Amino acid sequence: MTERWDRVVRVTHWAVAFCFLLNRLYVTTPGSIWHQTAGLAIVLLIFVRLGWGVTAAPAPARLSAIIPTKKGIIEHLHELRTRKFPAQLHHNPVGSIGILLFWFLLPLVALSGWGQNTHFIDLYPVDKWHKWLVNTVTVLVCIHIAAVVAMSFLARKNLLRAMLPGWRSKD
């Protein structure tokens, strides 16, 4: 039986990933309208996800469930030692920190990209900030992918499947 994240979580996750990859892999030309649109779409999708997380999201996708706590960290360390993980969908505290970093850094990437087309470029090294932020998010993406693979192996659960598109039915 595979639980899936709700549709809003899955759509915003993959749409953000798609837009970031379009821009990161230079499918769009830096500074072009398509590049700017993808960056703006990422910010709007994050706001949709945050709004969903404080209003109608099911329990595991609520923002209150994503805030890491000392108790959650201790429980997760115990889960790692015993290799006994909860059956229900959830984010472990390390994953929660990653999500919060994405939600913080991606709008900064867009803001620093926008800043390159303003007078701020003359006052501050906005282009360098943008490059540093993009590289930081890229490292975070790699860590995210590695963590999903590692936790899928440790928990003996296909975590990727829970995020794949499709109906939320249980298999």
Side-chain angles (χ1 to χ4, degrees):
M1 179 182 329
T2 301
E3 277 188 279
R4 292 185 190 266
W5 290 99
D6 67 78
R7 187 171 294 147
V8 173
V9 169
R10 288 180 283 144
V11 167
T12 56
H13 175 273
W14 291 112
V16 166
F18 178 74
C19 289
F20 180 77
L21 283 175
L22 279 178
N23 282 356
R24 181 64 177 113
L25 300 177
Y26 300 109
V27 174
T28 62
T29 305
S32 71
I33 190 69
W34 293 107
H35 190 84
Q36 293 173 18
T37 301
L40 180 60
I42 289 170
V43 173
L44 292 174
L45 288 161
I46 289 171
F47 281 120
V48 166
R49 175 61 182 91
L50 292 172
W52 178 248
V54 296
T55 57
R62 288 200 168 277
L63 293 189
S64 59
I66 296 173
I67 306 301
T69 63
K70 182 178 177 182
K71 180 183 176 204
I73 293 168
I74 292 168
E75 287 174 359
H76 183 60
L77 290 173
H78 178 72
E79 292 165 359
L80 288 171
R81 275 194 304 276
T82 62
R83 296 222 175 153
K84 293 181 182 171
F85 301 92
Q88 71 275 12
L89 282 176
H90 73 291
H91 288 99
N92 67 53
V94 178
S96 295
I97 291 168
I99 291 166
L100 296 173
L101 284 171
F102 277 124
W103 290 344
F104 178 73
L105 292 173
L106 284 167
L108 289 179
V109 169
L111 184 63
S112 63
W114 168 82
Q116 292 181 58
N117 293 329
T118 68
H119 70 281
F120 287 116
I121 193 74
D122 299 326
L123 303 172
Y124 305 102
V126 180
D127 54 337
K128 289 183 174 101
W129 295 346
H130 187 69
K131 187 179 231 176
W132 182 86
L133 287 164
V134 168
N135 289 337
T136 301
V137 171
T138 301
V139 169
L140 192 57
V141 167
C142 294
I143 292 169
H144 172 64
I145 292 167
V148 168
V149 170
M151 287 305 300
S152 291
F153 175 75
L154 288 172
R156 294 182 176 90
K157 276 172 72 171
N158 188 343
L159 298 178
L160 178 61
R161 186 172 195 171
M163 189 57 82
L164 288 176
W167 294 105
R168 196 173 174 209
S169 62
K170 297 182 181 186
D171 301 344

